[in-house]
Amino acid sequence: MLLQKELGVIENSYYEASTTRPPVTRPLDETVQADVCVVGGGYAGLSAALELAMRGYAVVLLEAQRIGWGASGRNGGQAIVGFGSDGELAIQKQLPREDAKKAWAISEEGLELMRQRIETHAIACEWRAGYLSLAVKPSRTKTLRQWMDHASELHDYPLEWIPPSDIGEWVSSTRFHSGVFDARSGHLHPLKYCLGLATAAQAAGVRIHENSVAYLIEQGDRPLVKTSQGMVHCSFVILAGNVYLAEYGDTLAPSISTRIMPVGTYMIATEPMGKERADALLRDRPAASDTNFVLDYFRVSEDHRLLFGTGDSYSASTPRNLVGKIRGSMLKVFPQLSDLDVPFAWGGFADITMNRSPDFGRMTANIYYLQGFSGHGLVMSGMAGKLAAEAVAGQAERFDLFSQLSHRRFPGGASFRTPALVLGMLYFRLRDLL
């Protein structure tokens, strides 16, 4: 099971090592009543719970492990407007032009919502604005420029083009040919932000129960959500467990579990290198990623470490020689860091949809689900929680904008789709190299 396979990786997480968690909340061990039961203690679930509590709803949130234990506490920390090139293409193809523009505007609002929450709730999560998209060769430059022009013209979103003659002023690496700078997107400490949302939700009245696995929903006018020791009677359910719902897909959410695929992504953190040396790597310390299909992404932490992630794993198991492989990729970008030790390496599973656009919808009239953030969850999952809260409150227009998107199931069931995607990733790795 995914939960079991991840235990060995998260123990060496820089995010966990640099965070002081609050005491664990008690598991649900009784029968309780609520207006809304939220399943999942990541960004989407916490966002929905916070929004609903602020509207006066009684909310119970169930988390199978600890708050932020999944992707919300392990990701690259990059808060990026938009849906990625593939997700944006899917939205453009499926929605009318004006609706596609509304979807982008909702993503922009998601970034502003995140920044407002950081300020309003005094969440100390090391937020820093600035994001670089980097092309590694001339052929990628053309595609990157086309994407920038599309975002600028269709969405009126401000972006700055970085030509080959100037790229060395932005990033101290000979690997990159050109780039685009986004002054609004940025990066933060993802676990600190997630725990800050949980604190804000509890202050608003949300009852959070960790180590409380929801394994069954009895549907009806008043759904019943069951755990091993307790149950929640409620009027609405919001499922925000993403790939972890598939752990219990046969009983909890069988109709949606095959619409997403778990993707393992892994990172390292170097030892601190000192402020002056860290500042020299990236001008003004933005987050950054290249535009390869199998991409590298990196940023400098507040305590002057390089945090570097690369590649994806579709095999649901931790890659062999994890540190060596990622460190090798890091040194291709920054060979000047060869003297630094790598004391931290960690990873986890994110969720992707077939077309890389988000998957929001209803299993029944009063059971909502939020999943498929496809690598853009730090901004969009928080906004998804707000949209779900709006829908529960009877304002479903924006939620239904995304529920119109069509999503195909991954073919062949779990036994086939994993090896098929592994083969697919080998193809894309070869294409990136060539």
Side-chain angles (χ1 to χ4, degrees), residues 92 152 154 255 263 273 285 304 308 377 422:
Q92 293 289 332
S152 300
L154 181 61
S255 62
V263 177
M273 68 186 82
R285 298 196 181 193
H304 317 309
F308 193 98
V422 169

Side-chain angles (χ1 to χ4, degrees), residues 59-80:
V59 184
V60 171
L61 185 146
L62 305 176
E63 165 55 41
Q65 298 286 330
R66 299 292 309 277
I67 292 298
W69 190 88
S72 295
R74 311 187 211 181
N75 63 77
Q78 302 198 355
I80 308 167

Side-chain angles (χ1 to χ4, degrees), residues 54-350:
M54 291 172 63
R55 291 171 178 260
Y57 288 83
V59 184
V60 171
L61 185 146
L62 305 176
E63 165 55 41
Q65 298 286 330
R66 299 292 309 277
I67 292 298
W69 190 88
S72 295
R74 311 187 211 181
N75 63 77
Q78 302 198 355
I80 308 167
V81 168
F83 307 96
S85 57
D86 290 335
E88 176 73 8
L89 180 61
I91 291 171
Q92 293 289 332
K93 285 183 175 180
Q94 293 193 41
L95 298 182
R97 179 183 177 91
E98 288 306 309
D99 283 350
K101 292 176 68 174
K102 289 178 183 177
W104 179 278
I106 288 172
S107 173
E108 288 192 57
E109 183 183 337
L111 180 65
E112 183 58 28
L113 176 67
M114 184 197 73
R115 297 182 68 164
Q116 288 175 358
R117 286 174 170 169
I118 292 171
E119 181 177 356
T120 300
H121 304 292
I123 302 175
C125 59
E126 303 166 20
W127 164 253
R128 182 182 289 266
Y131 173 70
L132 284 173
S133 297
L134 301 167
V136 299
K137 50 190 174 182
S139 61
R140 295 285 185 182
T141 293
K142 180 180 178 180
T143 303
L144 180 60
R145 184 60 195 245
Q146 289 173 340
W147 171 83
M148 173 185 160
D149 291 342
H150 166 81
S152 300
E153 294 169 8
L154 181 61
H155 303 304
D156 194 28
Y157 188 75
L159 295 166
E160 180 178 352
W161 177 249
I162 306 172
S165 59
D166 296 341
I167 194 67
E169 299 176 12
W170 290 79
V171 54
S172 181
S173 173
T174 59
R175 179 167 173 76
F176 304 111
H177 184 263
S178 59
V180 170
F181 179 65
D182 176 354
R184 296 183 181 178
S185 298
H187 60 102
L188 49 67
H189 190 300
L191 181 56
K192 289 182 179 180
Y193 176 60
C194 191
L195 295 175
L197 286 181
T199 299
Q202 288 175 304
V206 176
R207 292 181 55 182
I208 294 178
H209 295 279
E210 296 174 294
N211 297 317
S212 298
V213 177
Y215 72 90
L216 180 66
I217 301 174
E218 293 185 0
Q219 300 178 9
D221 292 338
R222 290 277 296 174
L224 180 64
V225 183
K226 293 185 176 181
T227 71
S228 61
Q229 301 180 63
M231 59 186 71
V232 183
H233 286 275
C234 55
S235 299
F236 297 91
V237 178
I238 297 176
L239 297 175
N242 298 310
V243 294
Y244 299 97
L245 293 181
E247 292 286 301
Y248 316 100
D250 291 339
T251 58
L252 190 64
S255 62
I256 63 172
S257 60
T258 59
R259 294 159 66 106
I260 56 174
M261 181 72 187
V263 177
T265 183
Y266 302 93
M267 297 184 67
I268 60 174
T270 69
E271 63 181 314
M273 68 186 82
K275 181 181 185 302
E276 182 177 352
R277 191 176 180 187
D279 286 342
L281 290 181
L282 291 157
R283 190 173 89 185
D284 298 327
R285 298 196 181 193
S289 70
D290 66 34
T291 59
N292 286 347
F293 188 89
V294 184
L295 56 80
D296 295 335
Y297 54 96
F298 46 92
R299 62 191 185 90
V300 174
S301 67
E302 192 173 72
D303 59 350
H304 317 309
R305 305 171 188 266
L306 182 67
L307 278 56
F308 193 98
T310 185
D312 295 315
S313 170
Y314 290 78
S315 64
S317 60
T318 303
R320 295 181 179 179
N321 189 25
L322 177 65
V323 174
K325 288 180 178 179
I326 302 179
R327 187 173 185 273
S329 295
M330 179 190 77
L331 293 180
K332 290 179 181 178
V333 178
F334 298 115
Q336 64 268 44
L337 303 185
S338 61
D339 61 310
L340 295 180
D341 289 335
V342 177
F344 297 103
W346 71 99
F349 288 93

Side-chain angles (χ1 to χ4, degrees), residues 38-50:
V38 176
V39 179
Y43 302 136
L46 290 167
S47 176
L50 174 59

